[in-house]
Each structure stands twice: as structure tokens, then as C-alpha cells.
Amino acid sequence: MSTHDFGFTMDTLEWKAWAPVLDVEKATPDEIKVLEESHPKAKVNPYYLLLVQEAEVLRQRSKLFNTIMYGPRGASRADRELAATAESRVNGCPYCASVHAQRFVQMKGDKDLMQRLLDDGVDTPMPSKQRAIVDYSVKLGATPSAATKEDVERLRAEGLNDAEILDITLSVAMFANANRLMQTLGEAVRP
């Protein structure tokens, strides 16, 4: 079943690689180490098993991802997850959108907002702070130069400081890349 058959959802999805993935039984010690550093489920996740075939690239990607999404500074995890979900929705990546929508709901508890974002798109009505984050994320992800000083000032007016705005920016940048990578290497599927 392709992603186009089920659209966007908060259901847990799986991802199917279109290219051969690493057989963990044949992994080198370095590949195993990179998988263990990357994600708790990387040894059984086809995305990581595909990417680890370039172990150093995955090592660097995972360090960057984990720092941006889980680092202790700046924006709240919920705000980072909202930015990642908006970017994933615009880029048409149901897998990433579902993962980060679930994380947002776990942290913020606003399932209704997230369901509307997935069902209706990034223009769905939402509170002003979330609206400012989503609008900035969409502009930045689609055409970075479209995000202006006014967009940053709008985030500041909603109470975000420079460290928080940087985290939102980095989250969008990470998912502008991650969505495109996932969608060129495989597809979301229902379990």
C-alpha cells in the first residue's frame, strides 16, 4: 500500500525501503555501534538499516538529529515537534508527520490541533503561538528566503527567544532534508 492510499494520520506507520537494507547478522562492529548510537530501535528499523550502509554518514546524521530534536536548550520539545510535523505535512511525508504528530500530542496533549493539521493542512486554524511557528516553518522549509525578519519578530511577539527560534529553524531544516530523503528511499506503509 503506498502513502497515497491513506494520507496523513496519527496512527503508527512503518517504512519500507525500496533498496536492500543491511542484514544485521552481517553487520561490522562499527555498523552495530552506529546503529546503537542512532536510535533504540535502529537494529530493526529499515530506514536505519538502509542508511547504515554508509556508517559514518549515519553517525553524523544521527548526532545532528538527536541534538536538534532532543537537546536540552531552546525551544520546548512540543514546539520542535510542531515545526517538524508542519514541515513533514508540507513535504508530503506521512511517516514523519505521524511520528512527530504523536510526539506533539504526548507533550502538549492537543490531539485536536494535530488532527486538524494532518487532515486539513498547515492553514488550519490554531492558537497564535502555534500559528506563528507553523507559518514560519512552512515558509522556511519551502523557500528559506521567504522567511523574513517579520516572521522572526512574530515568533518573538509570541514569547520565543533567539535560542527557541534557532531550535525551530534547525528542526525545520532537519525535516526539510529528512522528509525528502525518506521519500526518495522508500515509502510509509501501514503495519
Side-chain angles (χ1 to χ4, degrees):
M1 174 180 280
S2 81
T3 56
H4 304 292
D5 294 331
F6 56 80
F8 292 93
T9 179
M10 273 191 275
D11 295 346
T12 299
L13 301 175
E14 293 178 357
W15 186 81
K16 177 183 166 193
W18 292 329
V21 301
L22 177 73
D23 177 348
V24 177
E25 299 298 318
K26 297 178 182 174
T28 67
D30 190 49
E31 289 168 336
I32 293 294
K33 184 176 180 191
V34 171
L35 290 168
E36 289 171 347
E37 293 168 353
S38 295
H39 189 276
K41 296 181 181 178
K43 289 184 196 175
V44 297
N45 183 307
Y47 183 64
Y48 290 96
L49 294 173
L50 179 61
L51 296 182
V52 78
Q53 294 174 88
E54 293 291 337
E56 189 55 32
V57 172
L58 178 58
R59 176 177 280 122
Q60 296 306 319
R61 177 249 174 235
S62 293
K63 283 181 190 177
L64 182 63
F65 180 91
N66 292 335
T67 299
I68 289 170
M69 293 308 291
Y70 310 124
R73 76 276 132 239
S76 72
R77 277 283 308 282
D79 287 348
R80 291 181 228 185
E81 299 293 353
L82 177 62
T85 306
E87 179 64 18
S88 299
R89 179 65 172 83
V90 167
N91 283 335
C93 187
Y95 181 85
C96 290
S98 73
V99 169
H100 297 285
Q102 289 174 28
R103 299 298 171 272
F104 175 84
V105 171
Q106 288 170 349
M107 290 171 205
K108 194 76 173 167
D110 195 343
K111 188 174 183 176
D112 180 60
L113 167 64
M114 198 47 64
Q115 193 63 59
R116 288 193 327 272
L117 183 88
L118 294 174
D119 291 345
D120 303 334
V122 295
D123 294 327
T124 195
M126 61 186 69
S128 62
K129 179 183 177 186
Q130 286 80 21
R131 174 86 274 144
I133 290 170
V134 168
D135 289 348
Y136 176 73
S137 299
V138 168
K139 283 184 178 181
L140 188 64
T143 308
S145 61
T148 65
K149 181 179 177 180
E150 288 76 24
D151 295 305
V152 173
E153 291 303 324
R154 190 169 154 212
L155 292 168
R156 285 189 180 123
E158 291 295 338
L160 277 74
N161 64 36
D162 288 348
E164 292 169 313
I165 294 168
L166 176 61
D167 277 352
I168 298 301
T169 303
L170 295 174
S171 179
V172 170
M174 172 60 70
F175 281 91
N177 172 267
N179 297 157
R180 288 168 175 91
L181 185 60
M182 286 197 93
Q183 292 181 101
T184 58
L185 297 175
E187 67 180 329
V189 293
R190 289 225 183 250

